[in-house]
Amino acid sequence: MNNKKVITFGEVMLRLSTQGFERFTQASGFRATYAGAEANVAASLVQFGVPVAHVSRFPNNDLGTAATRALRKLGVNTSHILYGDERMGVYFIENGAIIRASRVIYDRFESAFAQIQKGMVDWDTVLKDAGWFHYTGITPAISQGAADVCLEALKVANKKGITVSGDINYRRNLWRYGKSARDIMPALVNLTDILVAGANDMENSMGVKADSFEDACRDSFRKFSNLKKIAKTNRDSINSSHNKITAKLFNGKKVLKSKTYDLTHIVDRVGAGDAFMAGLIFGWVSDKSDQDALEFATAACAWKHTVEGDVNLASREEIESLVKGENVGKLMR
């Protein structure tokens, strides 16, 4: 396995979740944890034995200290975390059940991370000896400063020959600072090797419109010469407690498909896409074939639905057993 470290970049928020399946209007207390899309990827990779450092910006107060400690507890290197005078971003989550959908409320305006600016991060130092850099489309949606710093990082990563992955994760409601995804994302995608994106993401963020995932991928490859692979997950939601998960990967030649996981009695689906991304990265830094990397990533995505919180707390061995269909639901002694 390639032992060069992975660098992830993005906001970490305070997650406040209702207890059990309580609604917001019922809640008399919230469970506090810390999470963010890119940090979820980082923590998951650490469980697989990959060294990872996360870059973010926290408030210089006890919440920033708690967030840093939470990452360290998961084994993530926090030596490049920045601190400022602003606030911690927060999100609230109400877990759905059966016919009731899960709900999320964000409170992240003017957070410490949103106020990050070019020049604050010494990317030459951060990316020294790194083999992989990961970001998501959430980060450049937060603020112009976050978009600028992300582009700054990708330029340095490309100069150093570091593989860059991006999970487009288009969220219309986040783009509120006067720029659209199509204004910002093409410059980032042009410096990206590996994408996780569906046809809708490619249309809204990259200006690529096509009738199918494969056609959208082929058009994206023609438009963005850096691209080498594009993957996506497919979720069939029977209800909040019962989903079916499968995935696809376009490797420049053809579309590969994973096996399907039928997930009933879901514990927590938040972070499943991040688990998938971590699985892909692990697959490729472990020199797995495209099909094997896809199967590992899809199994990691499925496994995440059994774990409370944002982070997929699963080992490499557990995911590989699931890929093989071994020890599924058994009592391990």
Side-chain angles (χ1 to χ4, degrees), residues 20-37:
F21 293 95
E22 285 185 338
R23 303 212 67 187
F24 288 134
T25 52
Q26 293 177 289
S28 58
F30 293 87
R31 180 177 177 228
T33 54
Y34 293 89

Side-chain angles (χ1 to χ4, degrees), residues 19-69:
Q19 300 178 58
F21 293 95
E22 285 185 338
R23 303 212 67 187
F24 288 134
T25 52
Q26 293 177 289
S28 58
F30 293 87
R31 180 177 177 228
T33 54
Y34 293 89
E38 301 86 354
N40 297 340
V41 173
S44 185
L45 282 168
V46 170
Q47 314 310 309
F48 300 152
V50 179
V52 188
H54 185 66
V55 181
S56 192
R57 189 168 185 265
F58 295 157
N60 191 20
N61 58 30
D62 285 351
L63 293 180
T65 300
T68 305
R69 288 177 178 174

Side-chain angles (χ1 to χ4, degrees), residues 208-210 214-224:
V208 174
K209 186 174 183 178
E214 182 171 355
D215 288 343
C217 290
R218 292 188 183 278
D219 289 348
S220 294
F221 268 56
R222 285 189 285 268
K223 186 173 182 179
F224 302 97

Side-chain angles (χ1 to χ4, degrees), residues 73-132:
K73 185 177 179 180
L74 290 166
V76 178
N77 183 323
T78 61
S79 61
H80 303 300
I81 298 288
L82 304 175
Y83 299 90
D85 295 329
E86 300 84 5
R87 61 185 292 264
M88 173 69 74
V90 181
Y91 86 93
F92 300 81
I93 181 164
E94 168 190 300
N95 283 317
I98 311 174
I99 58 173
R100 176 168 58 85
S102 297
R103 297 179 61 211
V104 172
I105 297 174
Y106 289 103
D107 179 17
R108 65 200 302 178
F109 184 66
E110 293 188 347
S111 66
F113 183 81
Q115 302 305 308
I116 198 168
Q117 300 293 326
K118 285 175 66 176
M120 286 186 175
V121 180
D122 181 356
W123 288 112
D124 275 319
T125 298
V126 171
L127 293 170
K128 183 180 179 182
D129 300 324
W132 198 290

Side-chain angles (χ1 to χ4, degrees), residues 7-305:
I7 304 296
T8 55
F9 172 59
E11 184 169 29
V12 174
M13 292 178 289
L14 170 62
R15 166 179 160 152
L16 297 175
S17 48
T18 58
Q19 300 178 58
F21 293 95
E22 285 185 338
R23 303 212 67 187
F24 288 134
T25 52
Q26 293 177 289
S28 58
F30 293 87
R31 180 177 177 228
T33 54
Y34 293 89
E38 301 86 354
N40 297 340
V41 173
S44 185
L45 282 168
V46 170
Q47 314 310 309
F48 300 152
V50 179
V52 188
H54 185 66
V55 181
S56 192
R57 189 168 185 265
F58 295 157
N60 191 20
N61 58 30
D62 285 351
L63 293 180
T65 300
T68 305
R69 288 177 178 174
L71 290 176
R72 286 178 185 161
K73 185 177 179 180
L74 290 166
V76 178
N77 183 323
T78 61
S79 61
H80 303 300
I81 298 288
L82 304 175
Y83 299 90
D85 295 329
E86 300 84 5
R87 61 185 292 264
M88 173 69 74
V90 181
Y91 86 93
F92 300 81
I93 181 164
E94 168 190 300
N95 283 317
I98 311 174
I99 58 173
R100 176 168 58 85
S102 297
R103 297 179 61 211
V104 172
I105 297 174
Y106 289 103
D107 179 17
R108 65 200 302 178
F109 184 66
E110 293 188 347
S111 66
F113 183 81
Q115 302 305 308
I116 198 168
Q117 300 293 326
K118 285 175 66 176
M120 286 186 175
V121 180
D122 181 356
W123 288 112
D124 275 319
T125 298
V126 171
L127 293 170
K128 183 180 179 182
D129 300 324
W132 198 290
F133 179 86
H134 177 67
Y135 72 99
T136 76
I138 294 171
T139 293
I142 293 171
S143 67
Q144 184 65 62
D148 291 342
V149 176
C150 193
L151 181 60
E152 192 178 41
L154 265 59
K155 287 179 178 178
V156 175
N158 271 245
K159 286 181 181 177
K160 292 180 177 290
I162 295 168
T163 300
V164 174
S165 60
D167 182 350
I168 296 300
N169 212 343
Y170 174 72
R171 297 183 184 176
R172 177 174 54 86
N173 291 334
L174 280 181
W175 292 89
R176 294 186 173 181
Y177 61 90
K179 296 289 180 67
S180 70
R182 288 193 188 182
D183 294 327
I184 300 295
M185 292 304 300
L188 300 176
V189 174
N190 206 43
L191 298 171
T192 302
D193 302 287
I194 312 292
L195 277 187
V196 169
N200 182 64
D201 297 314
M202 288 183 261
E203 179 178 353
N204 287 300
S205 296
M206 298 151 57
V208 174
K209 186 174 183 178
D211 293 331
S212 69
F213 173 68
E214 182 171 355
D215 288 343
C217 290
R218 292 188 183 278
D219 289 348
S220 294
F221 268 56
R222 285 189 285 268
K223 186 173 182 179
F224 302 97
S225 59
N226 239 40
L227 290 177
K228 298 175 179 66
K229 305 176 197 294
I230 303 177
K232 62 168 289 192
T233 55
N234 291 325
R235 179 184 297 276
D236 180 12
S237 296
I238 292 87
N239 58 46
S240 289
S241 306
H242 183 190
N243 292 181
K244 293 181 180 181
I245 296 290
T246 188
K248 295 180 178 180
L249 169 68
F250 179 71
N251 60 10
K253 297 178 181 178
K254 61 181 179 179
V255 174
L256 306 176
K257 296 181 181 179
S258 75
K259 65 181 179 183
T260 300
Y261 290 88
D262 191 7
L263 309 173
T264 59
H265 304 86
I266 291 169
V267 173
D268 193 337
R269 61 171 276 182
V270 177
D274 306 324
F276 178 73
M277 185 75 248
L280 285 177
I281 294 173
F282 174 76
W284 285 317
V285 299
S286 302
D287 298 320
K288 291 181 181 289
S289 69
D290 288 342
Q291 186 67 53
D292 287 345
L294 182 64
E295 296 294 355
F296 186 91
T298 310
C301 176
W303 184 281
K304 170 60 196 71
H305 291 74

